[in-house]
Amino acid sequence: MLTIKERKQIISLIKHEVIPAMGCTEPVAVALCAAKAAEKLGVLPEKVVVHLSMNVLKNAMGVGIPGTGMIGLPIAIALGMIVGKSDYGLEVLKDTSPESVDKGRRYVSEGRISILLDEAAPDGLYIKVQAYADDKESVAIICGEHTRFVEEESIGVCNALCAKNQKDDVLLSMRRIYDFVIEVPLEDIAFIEDSATMNMKAAEYALNAHYGHRVGGMLADSANHLMVGDGTLTRAMAYTCAACDARMSGALVSVMSNSGSGNQGIAATVPVAVYAREHHVDHETFIRALLLSNLTAIYIKQSLGRLSALCGCIVASTGASCAVTYMMGGGYEQICYAVKNMIANLTGMICDGAKPSCSLKLSSGVSTAMLSAMLAMQGCSVTNLEGVIDEDVDQSIRNLTSIGREAMQETNRMVVEIMTHKG
């Protein structure tokens, strides 16, 4: 049984990691850093130089910026300085208007923004914005987490921060997560329902609009149900993909993120909410399932890192699979089976940047989550004789994250090389 102090630490951790975000979190974090640099300067900068780590650049190149109809970093940086407020955190661009977008376009067209890949930066999340006006200069630096500003310019300091985040201070395991989920008083965790409410709202909005590749809309279209069916799996995929379609294409909608990623927040909550609705799951079980999903994703990210070469849909969908297994009546053993089944299937899916086609990867994550849960409830689990799976579920997770954090670094460099040298 966990102590009251341990419960409070875990609740604090969840509230730190599950927060609202508008737009893809990497370009938004760059916009946030630009907003801080402009605030420190006191005027709109005449020019800015932006230094980025490889993973930030990769995730910010091909994604839509909310409310602009434009793709990529320059307009995000311009709007961060023009209308951004650093106090807004990952909703820094929520005051965007048609007038500010026009002003931002002019700022970009005047060639005032320089964006550089910082070869010496940490592998994870590093953003440095230098802003200039007349004879004044200001510097803002974010590293380790999307909203963490630091004063030090030392790469060594930032490397340490990227390697150790706030969540590392809370020791988790699948057993501790499960015990927490079933023991914690319901009133202490009621706030987690907001994650599903916000993300389902984004999904419902997007199903009736045309964003990205409209993967969600295609799955929801009755004309396609002869091919894909019209059950819980199809609807879970449709709603999840729709929310991703919208945010990756620049819709002015906020979602509840998980561990710095909006798509991870969507994948950790929307399939859970759809299953609960379709199968009339009681409210308390639903809340505890949401908690299990979000906390499992946070736990896996503890060893994977904030940004990596491994697609985050694996992490979040694993949480969703645990939650669905729990709502099906599974206990700790079946939940561990679901985790192993997920790792056996999706290990190695690369992250090639944030972009509209992320919804295709989320469709794979959600379908695998449901399949893994069903197998788990049949008592089926991939064994330690197969691939990277270990008898111990936590070691299986560490095997997954070691591949993403260490073994795939050369893959990551190759992905960025390809992305930055097209055409």
Side-chain angles (χ1 to χ4, degrees):
M1 180 174 290
L2 278 68
T3 66
I4 293 175
K5 180 181 178 181
E6 289 171 325
R7 288 180 186 173
K8 287 182 177 179
Q9 286 177 327
I10 294 174
I11 289 170
S12 176
L13 170 64
I14 297 167
K15 289 181 176 180
H16 178 79
E17 295 293 346
V18 181
I19 60 174
M22 177 178 285
C24 175
T25 50
E26 276 69 61
V28 166
V30 178
L32 176 63
C33 199
K36 174 68 81 172
E39 288 168 0
K40 291 171 73 173
L41 196 64
V43 295
L44 181 65
E46 295 170 0
K47 67 173 184 175
V48 290
V49 180
V50 180
H51 305 260
L52 304 174
S53 61
M54 179 169 57
N55 278 315
V56 174
L57 182 63
K58 178 184 71 173
N59 278 355
M61 289 175 60
V63 68
I65 306 304
T68 68
M70 299 174 70
I71 289 173
L73 279 168
I75 189 64
I77 294 166
L79 286 173
M81 296 184 295
I82 292 167
V83 297
K85 294 180 176 64
S86 62
D87 288 344
Y88 288 171
L90 292 181
E91 293 184 293
V92 64
L93 298 181
K94 69 179 182 180
D95 288 343
T96 297
S97 66
E99 294 75 21
S100 62
V101 172
D102 287 341
K103 190 173 181 180
R105 283 196 181 100
R106 288 195 300 272
Y107 194 97
V108 171
S109 68
E110 290 165 357
R112 297 175 180 269
I113 301 171
S114 297
I115 301 170
L116 306 173
L117 172 62
D118 193 330
E119 300 284 357
D123 288 333
L125 198 159
Y126 176 81
I127 304 162
K128 177 181 176 182
V129 176
Q130 296 169 295
Y132 303 90
D134 297 324
D135 59 346
K136 296 190 295 183
E137 175 187 358
S138 68
V139 176
I141 303 171
I142 287 176
C143 72
E145 297 183 8
H146 291 76
T147 58
R148 181 198 277 149
F149 288 98
V150 297
E151 297 300 324
E152 297 259 9
E153 289 200 45
S154 166
I155 292 295
V157 170
C158 287
N159 265 317
L161 288 172
C162 285
K164 184 182 188 303
N165 288 313
Q166 183 265 2
K167 59 190 175 185
D168 297 330
D169 295 331
V170 181
L171 182 63
L172 295 176
S173 66
M174 286 307 302
R175 181 80 246 184
R176 284 173 64 83
I177 289 171
Y178 179 77
D179 289 345
F180 173 77
V181 166
I182 64 173
E183 292 173 5
V184 65
L186 188 64
E187 60 268 23
D188 291 349
I189 57 171
F191 67 88
I192 201 66
E193 188 171 9
D194 291 343
S195 64
T197 301
M198 179 177 284
N199 292 347
M200 283 294 286
K201 183 178 179 181
E204 288 161 356
Y205 163 79
L207 279 174
N208 299 311
H210 292 265
Y211 288 107
H213 302 294
R214 205 170 180 266
V215 178
M218 180 275 294
L219 289 166
D221 190 342
S222 60
N224 296 315
H225 287 168
L226 184 62
M227 176 72 74
V228 300
D230 185 27
T232 301
L233 173 58
T234 299
R235 282 190 281 275
M237 292 168 64
Y239 276 74
T240 304
C241 293
C244 178
D245 287 330
R247 71 179 299 271
M248 290 288 96
S249 300
L252 274 170
V253 295
S254 291
V255 300
M256 198 72 81
S257 64
N258 183 299
S259 301
S261 168
N263 283 348
Q264 287 171 197
I266 291 167
T269 56
V270 172
V272 182
V274 171
Y275 181 92
R277 184 179 66 187
E278 297 275 321
H279 294 265
H280 309 290
V281 174
D282 69 89
H283 186 251
E284 178 173 346
T285 300
F286 171 53
I287 296 301
R288 295 188 186 279
L290 273 176
L291 187 71
L292 173 61
S293 182
N294 277 287
L295 196 49
T296 299
I298 292 168
Y299 168 46
I300 298 173
K301 291 291 281 189
Q302 279 187 327
S303 58
L304 180 60
R306 189 66 63 165
L307 299 176
S308 76
L310 197 68
C311 179
C313 85
I314 302 171
V315 175
S317 298
T318 298
S321 188
C322 293
V324 171
T325 303
Y326 177 77
M327 290 188 291
M328 287 178 170
Y332 178 69
E333 183 178 25
Q334 289 75 34
I335 287 167
C336 291
Y337 287 172
V339 172
K340 293 179 183 181
N341 293 338
M342 289 294 294
I343 294 171
N345 194 334
L346 292 180
T347 294
M349 181 184 288
I350 65 168
C351 170
D352 55 341
K355 58 210 176 301
S357 60
C358 285
S359 59
L360 291 168
K361 294 187 178 184
L362 286 187
S363 72
S364 298
V366 174
S367 61
T368 303
M370 295 295 184
L371 174 62
S372 296
M374 290 189 293
L375 284 170
M377 291 304 294
Q378 293 295 316
C380 295
S381 170
V382 177
T383 71
N384 64 341
L385 300 176
E386 304 173 68
V388 300
I389 302 304
D390 192 271
E391 184 68 28
D392 179 71
V393 67
D394 297 296
Q395 184 59 51
S396 295
I397 289 171
R398 288 191 291 272
N399 292 345
L400 165 73
T401 58
S402 293
I403 290 169
R405 188 184 64 251
E406 299 168 19
M408 293 178 70
Q409 280 309 302
E410 186 57 39
T411 299
N412 210 28
R413 284 188 284 272
M414 178 61 72
V415 166
V416 174
E417 178 75 14
I418 292 169
M419 290 175 66
T420 54
H421 289 84
K422 292 181 184 179

